[in-house]
Amino acid sequence: MRGFSPSGIAVDNTAMPVDLVGQIEHITYTSEETGYTIARVKVEGRPDPITVVGGLLAPTPGEVLRMTGEWVRHPKYGEQFRVEQYQSSIPATADGIRIYLGSGMIKGLGPVMARRIVKKFGRDTLEIIEGAIERLAEVEGIGKKRIAMIKAAWDDQKEIRDVMIFLQSHGVSSGYATKIFKRYGNRSIAVVKQNPYRLASDIFGIGFKTADRIAQQLGFLPDSELRVAAGILYVLDLLSGDGHVYAPREHLVAECRKVLNIDHENVLKALDKLITERRIVLEDIEKNKGSAGQKESAVYLTHFFVCETGLAERLKFLRTAPRSLRPVRVEDALAWVQKRLAIGLAEKQVSAVRAALTEKVLVITGGPGTGKTTIINAVLQIFTRMGVRVLMAAPTGRAAKRMSEACGHAARTVHRLLEYSLAKGGFQRDENDPLRCDLLVIDEASMIDTVLMYHLLKAVPEGATFLLVGDVNQLPSVGAGNVLKDIIDSGITAVVELSEIFRQARHSRIVVNAHRINSGLMPEWAPASSVFPALSDFYFIQQDDPEKVLDIILELAKERIPRRFGLDPFDDIQVLTPMHRGVIGADNLNRRLQETLNPDRDLIRRGDRELRLHDKVMQIKNNYDKDVFNGDIGRVSRIDPSGQEVVIRFEDQAVTYAFSELDEIILAYAISVHKSQGSEYPAVIIPVTTQHFLLLQRNLMYTAVTRGRRLVVMVGTRKALAIAVGNAEPHRRYTRLRDRLTSADF
């Protein structure tokens, strides 16, 4: 009987499993999270390679697969072999050995050198490397230094061979096996056997689903305590990725049941155990304030509970602690600084400066063009005149650099300010070793999440003035919480809200339209013909078809904007999109922009990804060893296949990555609006279509527009833009910070 799978692939439900042996020639696509792979495989007895699909977990070209599965027919791509089970082994043919050695497994060997070695030694190559490696000197271009490099890499591979064989027999690829070995060493097999779910939290790139697949291979039951506990932590972590500090208990249980496919009682039992082990915290809260007897339970990952409660406690304390500053004649200071800067401060600006001189904790919020930088400069001038210690910081390197340039005072990232050290176990500045300052100014405060704000507040000296500057109408932090908004809404600190657009800024359509969007009004734009006849800084190009939207974006980035505005496609133009998937999602946009802007370069392949020389890339996790952080953008400056290394130049440093570390890097020709927070670009291109329906929100569109400094071009439909402008209801984030700040009992 033939049926159809949910993906539309025709399957034969009565067919017997088929066994095939083949060698991987090319990886078309692979998901590092789920292991789903599409590969071209040369199979014994077939003249042409076949397409293999299934959970192969990042296999290596050249590997020989012994596969069990079934033939299926895809409506678009035709016949495919779907793998159900497989075993991997080192190749035996000369061609397979060449592909294997040149695939990145052995440092010191790239495709060119692998070809030379195999040409010399043929099928005996692996035996030569194992037992007579000095003979590699017989190959042109291989000297003692390279032989030593190859030997060291080969010996490393030998050490982990047992681990790799064990893990591969349970569905884990060699790439992940290497990471596991680096983390656990000779204990790898024992650790994985005892609790494979540790991999989800300990190994970057291995998520819960992959760890769960390994556990099933090892015989763990669906309702095992370890599995259910790991599943709960996984769901809480997923929710924190959506900005939630906690999860309502019933919502969490329902989500866990869906993910784990187990009954209600098993989830509750695991929850109780996690509470006993203090890995999570359960807190009863009023469901609706003022409704007696209506309670719900909030479930926190323990570190989020500690951070949220600690943040509230510390902020309350700092607000009322005595100031370290000597009294200042406020009105005299205001008169002096206006004369000093040769400006007349507006009423709200005067209020902000006055509050900075009298309050311990102050929030200044406002959109572009409302004079936030002028206020900071005025405050800095006064505090510097008083001879006190001033520190300035922002969440990202780009924001800190922009702050330094605008204010003429050194600014750092918050992480550098707090002297984060992985080797020393975290932030070095805290209540026991606070920052040495009398004034601390933090810009782009809307980006700071619950965890980072907690650690920052711990390091603020008791007597210091703490000034938070940001735009509360932008998207909230990528991390969990909605800290700036919660602080403002609590009413426990002084807040100055700026709304007046100053005269110079009124000439910018970008600034004016940002405020229009924030007020729920449609932006106004110049007509955009093919040659931009009238120079403006804000354009809208009407196009309904997503494929044509994509074509327009490619043309804008490559030709139209560079030609008309003299901007560089790599350094000056940034595509911002609300989503990752789809025709005009970040993933597809990056592939197409890479092909358009950076074709035919030296490249390496990592699964389904190509990384090319000069590519624009982004770091997607904090790496304290390398001193690069989530959201940092750089350019690929060198690719070394033989050394298995890539060098990426960020603004002020060149950073070397081993090939195995490149899962920390993604293409950045197009990035999500969330990832753009804290940055500005000379020009931004923003697709706006109903494909993004679920993400069409006012604060997202407002944030995107405010990223453009000289030029904003929207491409899409007025309908989609109107939906976004009209949608002022952001997704709710589960956070109790506001309640804790306003609670007299806390």
Side-chain angles (χ1 to χ4, degrees):
M1 181 176 70
R2 184 171 291 274
F4 285 86
S5 72
S7 62
I9 298 174
V11 298
D12 190 345
N13 298 323
T14 63
M16 297 292 292
V18 177
D19 295 324
L20 292 178
V21 177
Q23 182 175 286
I24 300 173
E25 289 197 344
H26 175 68
I27 307 296
T28 304
Y29 170 82
T30 188
S31 167
E32 293 180 355
E33 167 63 21
T34 67
Y36 181 79
T37 298
I38 304 171
R40 296 289 285 172
V41 177
K42 185 72 171 71
V43 173
E44 296 175 357
R46 285 185 166 242
D48 299 316
I50 66 169
T51 298
V52 170
V53 299
L56 301 184
L57 290 174
T60 304
E63 284 184 284
V64 176
L65 303 179
R66 297 184 178 275
M67 304 168 289
T68 300
E70 61 181 337
W71 290 102
V72 298
R73 179 163 292 281
H74 192 281
K76 182 175 181 180
Y77 301 110
E79 190 176 58
Q80 300 175 339
F81 187 77
R82 186 164 64 195
V83 178
E84 302 295 338
Q85 295 180 339
Y86 80 100
Q87 287 186 323
S88 172
S89 61
I90 292 174
T93 66
D95 197 48
I97 293 168
R98 175 186 59 77
I99 296 171
Y100 177 76
L101 290 178
S103 68
M105 291 292 297
I106 307 299
K107 190 172 183 178
L109 288 179
V112 174
M113 200 57 67
R115 188 177 298 110
R116 290 181 190 173
I117 293 172
V118 175
K119 185 178 179 180
K120 175 71 176 177
F121 300 113
R123 296 177 63 175
D124 297 331
T125 296
L126 299 183
E127 286 75 13
I128 294 291
I129 295 174
E130 178 72 36
I133 196 167
E134 68 279 355
R135 290 193 60 192
L136 293 183
E138 300 171 24
V139 178
E140 181 187 354
I142 298 184
K144 290 182 179 180
K145 186 177 179 181
R146 188 183 292 268
I147 289 175
M149 187 187 298
I150 296 169
K151 185 178 188 309
W154 187 260
D155 288 344
D156 286 343
Q157 290 293 321
K158 265 192 347 184
E159 285 184 24
I160 68 170
R161 197 158 295 157
D162 288 345
V163 174
M164 292 177 70
I165 290 170
F166 168 78
L167 292 171
Q168 285 187 345
S169 69
H170 293 90
V172 183
S173 72
S174 56
Y176 285 132
T178 302
K179 289 187 176 184
I180 292 168
F181 185 81
K182 284 182 179 178
R183 180 69 171 81
Y184 305 125
N186 294 325
R187 300 185 298 116
S188 297
I189 293 175
V191 167
V192 173
K193 280 184 174 179
Q194 183 180 7
N195 184 7
Y197 295 102
R198 283 185 59 178
L199 302 176
S201 57
D202 291 354
I203 311 297
F204 183 73
I206 296 184
F208 172 79
K209 292 180 180 178
T210 299
D212 195 36
R213 187 180 298 110
I214 296 167
Q216 290 177 38
Q217 291 269 353
L218 289 167
F220 281 76
L221 297 175
D223 60 352
S224 75
E225 285 188 358
L226 283 174
R227 179 176 187 263
V228 182
I232 292 170
L233 298 175
Y234 166 69
V235 172
L236 282 170
D237 190 58
L238 280 181
L239 292 170
S240 74
D242 289 333
H244 303 298
V245 183
Y246 72 88
R249 183 171 177 264
E250 291 308 311
H251 176 67
L252 174 64
V253 171
E255 288 299 308
C256 289
R257 290 190 65 193
K258 283 195 289 186
V259 169
L260 299 170
N261 195 27
I262 58 172
D263 61 39
H264 191 268
E265 290 303 314
N266 274 317
V267 178
L268 296 182
K269 182 180 175 184
L271 272 173
D272 289 340
K273 191 171 188 296
L274 287 169
I275 293 168
T276 303
E277 294 172 349
R278 300 185 178 180
R279 297 169 74 185
I280 63 173
V281 174
L282 188 70
E283 184 180 46
D284 290 331
I285 59 177
E286 289 185 19
K287 196 168 185 178
N288 295 301
K289 277 201 173 288
S291 303
Q294 290 194 34
K295 302 275 188 184
E296 72 175 5
S297 295
V299 184
Y300 287 82
L301 289 168
T302 298
H303 72 280
F304 280 132
F305 181 80
V306 169
C307 290
E308 187 178 81
T309 55
L311 193 168
E313 184 178 319
R314 184 69 178 173
L315 190 62
K316 284 184 171 184
F317 170 74
L318 290 172
R319 181 177 66 97
T320 57
R323 289 168 65 95
S324 62
L325 292 175
R326 60 179 172 84
V328 59
R329 293 193 297 271
V330 175
E331 298 309 314
D332 289 349
L334 281 165
W336 174 85
V337 78
Q338 292 182 85
K339 185 177 180 180
R340 171 87 173 174
L341 297 175
I343 59 171
L345 295 174
E347 183 180 349
K348 281 289 185 71
Q349 291 178 315
V350 170
S351 298
V353 177
R354 184 180 286 117
L357 297 174
T358 56
E359 301 285 347
K360 277 294 302 306
V361 180
L362 171 65
V363 176
I364 298 173
T365 181
T370 57
K372 296 191 297 295
T373 301
T374 300
I375 294 169
I376 295 173
N377 274 324
V379 171
L380 285 176
Q381 288 287 336
I382 295 171
F383 275 75
T384 303
R385 176 73 172 177
M386 294 168 65
V388 302
R389 299 165 299 180
V390 176
L391 290 176
M392 300 175 63
T396 68
R398 287 195 170 205
K401 183 179 180 182
R402 198 170 67 249
M403 193 183 190
S404 296
E405 292 169 348
C407 300
H409 190 286
R412 288 172 276 178
T413 65
V414 175
H415 281 85
R416 287 179 177 146
L417 183 77
L418 300 180
E419 298 176 18
Y420 188 93
S421 169
L422 188 64
K424 296 179 181 178
F427 295 104
Q428 299 307 291
R429 295 289 189 175
D430 55 20
E431 64 271 40
N432 298 316
D433 187 12
L435 298 166
R436 293 169 178 82
C437 64
D438 301 291
L439 170 68
L440 176 60
V441 183
I442 303 295
D443 200 10
E444 297 286 355
S446 63
M447 295 180 63
I448 301 180
D449 60 28
T450 301
V451 174
L452 187 56
M453 185 63 82
Y454 167 64
H455 287 287
L456 177 61
L457 286 172
K458 285 204 299 178
V460 178
E462 294 179 9
T465 296
F466 185 48
L467 175 56
L468 287 169
V469 183
D471 186 349
V472 74
N473 293 309
Q474 288 190 28
L475 289 170
S477 58
V478 175
N482 200 353
V483 175
L484 185 64
K485 187 174 189 305
D486 283 349
I487 291 174
I488 292 172
D489 290 349
S490 73
I492 73 156
T493 67
V495 178
V496 178
E497 296 188 37
L498 306 171
S499 55
E500 180 186 353
I501 307 174
F502 288 94
R503 184 170 33 187
Q504 187 176 357
R506 290 181 200 145
H507 297 295
S508 168
R509 268 199 170 125
I510 295 173
V511 172
V512 172
N513 282 333
H515 287 270
R516 288 181 65 85
I517 290 169
N518 193 42
S519 301
L521 302 173
M522 287 286 282
E524 299 173 339
W525 54 78
S529 76
S530 59
V531 291
F532 292 107
L535 275 184
S536 175
D537 63 357
F538 197 103
Y539 297 89
F540 188 96
I541 302 176
Q542 175 72 27
Q543 180 51 249
D544 298 338
D545 186 342
E547 291 285 355
K548 292 181 180 177
V549 170
L550 173 61
D551 291 338
I552 291 170
I553 291 171
L554 297 177
E555 187 187 1
L556 285 168
K558 184 181 181 182
E559 296 177 3
R560 291 170 63 176
I561 292 176
R563 183 176 63 241
R564 191 70 176 95
F565 296 90
L567 298 175
D568 183 84
F570 288 86
D571 297 330
D572 297 332
I573 301 171
Q574 184 62 62
V575 179
L576 303 179
T577 180
M579 62 194 298
H580 289 280
R581 297 178 181 175
V583 175
I584 44 179
D587 295 342
N588 189 54
L589 277 167
N590 270 313
R591 282 193 289 270
R592 294 296 304 279
L593 285 163
Q594 183 191 48
E595 293 168 3
T596 302
L597 300 177
N598 196 26
D600 304 324
R601 298 282 188 180
D602 295 339
L603 60 86
I604 58 168
R605 288 188 174 88
R606 303 293 295 175
D608 65 319
R609 298 188 302 154
E610 286 186 359
L611 196 63
R612 302 179 182 180
L613 189 64
H614 307 311
D615 266 341
K616 184 177 181 179
V617 296
M618 174 182 281
Q619 177 79 16
I620 59 170
K621 66 171 289 198
N622 292 336
N623 189 320
Y624 301 102
D625 288 336
K626 298 183 185 295
D627 200 30
V628 288
F629 301 95
N630 187 3
D632 287 352
I633 288 179
R635 296 278 299 276
V636 177
S637 61
R638 187 165 64 89
I639 296 175
D640 180 5
S642 62
Q644 305 296 295
E645 290 179 345
V646 171
V647 178
I648 298 173
R649 175 157 289 281
F650 295 92
E651 285 189 356
D652 55 353
Q653 61 178 334
V655 181
T656 300
Y657 292 78
F659 280 9
S660 60
E661 298 173 313
L662 291 177
D663 51 2
E664 298 182 12
I665 293 293
I666 61 170
L667 292 175
Y669 298 97
I671 62 175
S672 69
V673 180
H674 280 87
K675 287 289 189 184
S676 73
Q677 288 175 266
S679 297
E680 285 185 348
Y681 313 93
V684 297
I685 304 170
I686 309 167
V688 188
T689 77
T690 51
Q691 275 200 336
H692 304 147
F693 185 83
L694 294 175
L695 296 168
L696 290 175
Q697 300 167 6
R698 183 184 299 175
N699 62 349
L700 183 139
M701 201 57 55
Y702 172 75
T703 301
V705 168
T706 57
R707 299 309 89 198
R709 193 163 62 244
R710 292 173 53 189
L711 178 67
V712 171
V713 183
M714 291 183 167
V715 187
T717 66
R718 290 177 175 82
K719 179 182 178 182
L721 182 57
I723 292 170
V725 171
N727 182 10
E729 294 295 325
H731 294 304
R732 179 189 173 184
R733 292 191 166 195
Y734 293 113
T735 162
R736 296 204 63 226
L737 178 60
R738 183 183 63 180
D739 295 338
R740 298 188 193 282
L741 289 171
T742 55
S743 172
D745 300 328
F746 183 74

